[in-house]
Amino acid sequence: MFCFQCEQTAGGKGCMGRAGVCGKPADTAALQDKLTGALIGLARAAEGNRPTESSDRVMLAGLFTTVTNVNFNSETVAEMTEKVHLETERLVPRCGSCAAHCSRNDDYDMNGLWNADEDIRSLKSLILFGLRGMAAYAYHALVLGYSDREVNDFFYEALLAIGKDNNTMETLLPLVLRTGEVNLRCMELLDRANTETYGTPEPTAVSFKVEKGPFIVISGHDLRDLKLLLEQSAGRGVNVYTHGEMLPAHAYPELKKYPHLKGNFGTAWQNQQREFADIPAPILFTTNCLMPVKPSYADRVFTTEVVSFPGLVHIGEDKDFAPVIERAIALGGWSEDKNFTGINGGGGTVTGFGHGAVLASAEKIVAAVKAGAISRFFLVGGCDGAKPGRNYYTEFVKKCPADTVILTLACGKYRFNDLDLGTVDGFPRIMDMGQCNDAYGAIRVATALAEAFKCGVNDLPLSLVLSWYEQKAVCILLTLLHLGIKNILLGPTLPAFVSPNVLNFLVEHYGIAPTSTPEADLKKILG
């Protein structure tokens, strides 16, 4: 196998051998390459044809399946590949009678990408991994009934380009930035889907205490799955707790109204093997961030949508969560309340500072900055991960001056979201803006503040200190580059798939730099 799409890739170069660092077996990784090649074949078939709603859904689900920590099951990956082949043949049937082979619906051999010139491979990887992350966002919107023809068409266009052998850096660089541009549109689509379906998030305190009695832990990003679980478990005496990226769900009015949505259990995704080891409750995974499931708790883990792991019970398209609910009742939960804490000892956190809530106070924020009460905003967020060195983000936040505000989003916030840093001019110093896809909200806030101050985003008292792990972080980074945002600090390591020449381009044109130490980086930022 060969894979270097996530931050923890072996040796900072690429996973090879029998398994990846994420725990994915080599045969499953090879099948995911075949799935990607089949998706490029689908894009070839769509050239000159109109994709259908069915082919769009398969395109999004197929790309989503290849995101890190989503699918560890060779059988279901192969089934997804077959679905792609069926959609391809619907667009361009395999005639089998031509004297000259036209290749209109052939799969792409991914070795052509992995063995390409390193700069071409680097740019194509940026596009491909960005597409995978964007597909996750588009899929979440799709299940809520929201789609965008321009966004969907771009998946075919970009995959078609990846499958061509005559690319140059000059032809690929614009497509890299175009990926970021389309992802911005995609994130806006998902933001609209979530807020129009569940209401505008509002600041909400979330406890880390688990009450006695039966309960369910739900992880991932899919708010629709949470809503269905809450509906089906209402009145059954079963409480529901979020985990990982599901934490921001507590801020949505249409979800908050369920009294048995109690709080949040556990921290970020990479701690789940320890945190789930002995809890007397089932866990439902709705999207990515699944780690290889240990035998000690495998009988309590359920999956749905594109998430899959061998041997686990999978909830299909009927979304009947009765097996999860019945398992919770059978396990019974704890006999008394359990008080848990975050990694810094705090007993809870506050979420819900989306762009709706923050921009409602825009005039006060601008006044506080002009008066000197708030000196700077730091956006400290992104993916968390297991590699040593990520305590950098905890220490960075702790060392930020008392007159600064930390905006945060995605699971990187678990490094510090239970800290009590107090307030500045009436505003909490830590504002959790939501999930990784809520980066759109951070962009909305930044652009609104730039308009208020009559300056560019790069001239704002705003610094971006980002952590990354997987492909959704890649597409967000490409969106920031598309917007021309500069001087981003990125860590804990730079992507292995970025070649020296491509890195030099990013440094020269955008000022991207790796994180160093909290003290040195703060000194550099604050002068």
Side-chain angles (χ1 to χ4, degrees), residues 254-455:
E254 289 301 308
L255 300 175
K256 287 172 62 174
K257 70 182 184 182
Y258 290 91
H260 60 302
L261 177 60
K262 290 291 186 176
N264 189 77
F265 172 80
T267 52
W269 66 270
Q270 75 276 3
N271 300 320
Q272 65 190 254
Q273 291 178 328
R274 171 174 50 83
E275 293 174 345
F276 293 163
D278 56 4
I279 64 170
I283 306 103
L284 174 63
F285 278 90
T286 67
T287 60
N288 53 308
C289 300
L290 171 72
M291 292 187 73
V293 180
K294 292 190 173 182
S296 61
Y297 62 92
D299 64 327
R300 293 181 273 117
V301 179
F302 297 79
T303 61
T304 191
E305 293 296 345
V306 297
V307 189
S308 186
F309 192 89
L312 302 186
V313 176
H314 187 79
I315 306 298
E317 293 181 2
D318 62 355
K319 294 298 180 181
D320 181 2
F321 292 121
V324 187
I325 298 167
E326 296 302 327
R327 188 77 174 113
I329 294 171
L331 288 167
W334 280 297
S335 58
E336 58 184 22
D337 292 353
K338 294 282 187 176
N339 293 308
F340 294 96
T341 66
I343 66 171
N344 300 290
T349 189
V350 178
T351 189
F353 291 97
H355 62 85
V358 175
L359 293 181
S361 301
E363 290 186 7
K364 294 180 180 179
I365 292 173
V366 171
V369 174
K370 289 182 175 179
I374 297 177
S375 67
R376 179 165 288 272
F377 295 88
F378 292 95
L379 176 59
V380 185
C383 309
D384 205 356
K387 184 180 290 186
R390 287 180 178 264
N391 60 322
Y392 163 95
Y393 297 93
T394 309
E395 295 306 311
F396 185 95
V397 167
K398 286 181 178 179
K399 295 178 186 300
C400 285
D403 61 352
T404 61
V405 172
I406 292 89
L407 306 174
T408 188
L409 42 75
C411 57
K413 63 175 166 274
Y414 281 104
R415 293 280 170 174
F416 50 80
N417 70 337
D418 63 320
L419 289 172
D420 182 4
L421 297 186
T423 62
V424 53
D425 204 44
F427 295 100
R429 289 199 53 226
I430 296 180
M431 296 186 183
D432 174 13
M433 303 192 74
Q435 302 171 205
C436 55
N437 47 279
D438 291 309
Y440 172 76
I443 291 169
R444 279 281 305 275
V445 168
T447 53
L449 290 177
E451 291 175 5
F453 284 106
K454 295 181 172 57
C455 67

Side-chain angles (χ1 to χ4, degrees), residues 40-160:
I40 293 175
L42 177 59
R44 288 169 168 170
E47 187 178 20
N49 294 301
R50 180 176 292 278
T52 65
E53 290 184 9
S54 178
S55 60
D56 288 346
R57 187 179 186 91
V58 166
M59 172 65 76
L60 298 180
L63 284 167
F64 195 176
T65 295
T66 63
V67 170
T68 304
N69 288 12
V70 170
N71 193 309
F72 295 79
N73 191 335
S74 294
E75 182 178 342
T76 53
V77 174
E79 290 173 356
M80 179 60 69
T81 304
E82 183 56 28
K83 290 180 181 179
V84 175
H85 284 153
L86 290 173
E87 291 299 328
T88 302
E89 292 193 25
R90 288 192 181 102
L91 292 177
V92 179
R94 294 181 185 272
C95 61
S97 61
C98 297
H101 189 60
C102 66
S103 303
R104 284 294 306 280
N105 52 10
D106 281 0
D107 292 357
Y108 174 70
D109 183 353
M110 291 295 287
N111 287 316
L113 172 55
W114 306 140
N115 296 324
D117 167 84
E118 68 170 351
D119 294 330
I120 299 300
R121 181 179 72 169
S122 180
L123 293 173
K124 284 188 175 184
S125 294
L126 275 168
I127 297 165
L128 175 60
F129 302 157
L131 291 177
R132 288 174 172 175
M134 182 165 60
Y137 299 149
Y139 189 88
H140 293 317
L142 183 65
V143 300
L144 294 178
Y146 290 72
S147 64
D148 184 307
R149 187 68 259 161
E150 181 178 330
V151 171
N152 289 348
D153 284 346
F154 182 72
F155 288 106
Y156 300 93
E157 174 191 341
L159 285 175
L160 185 65

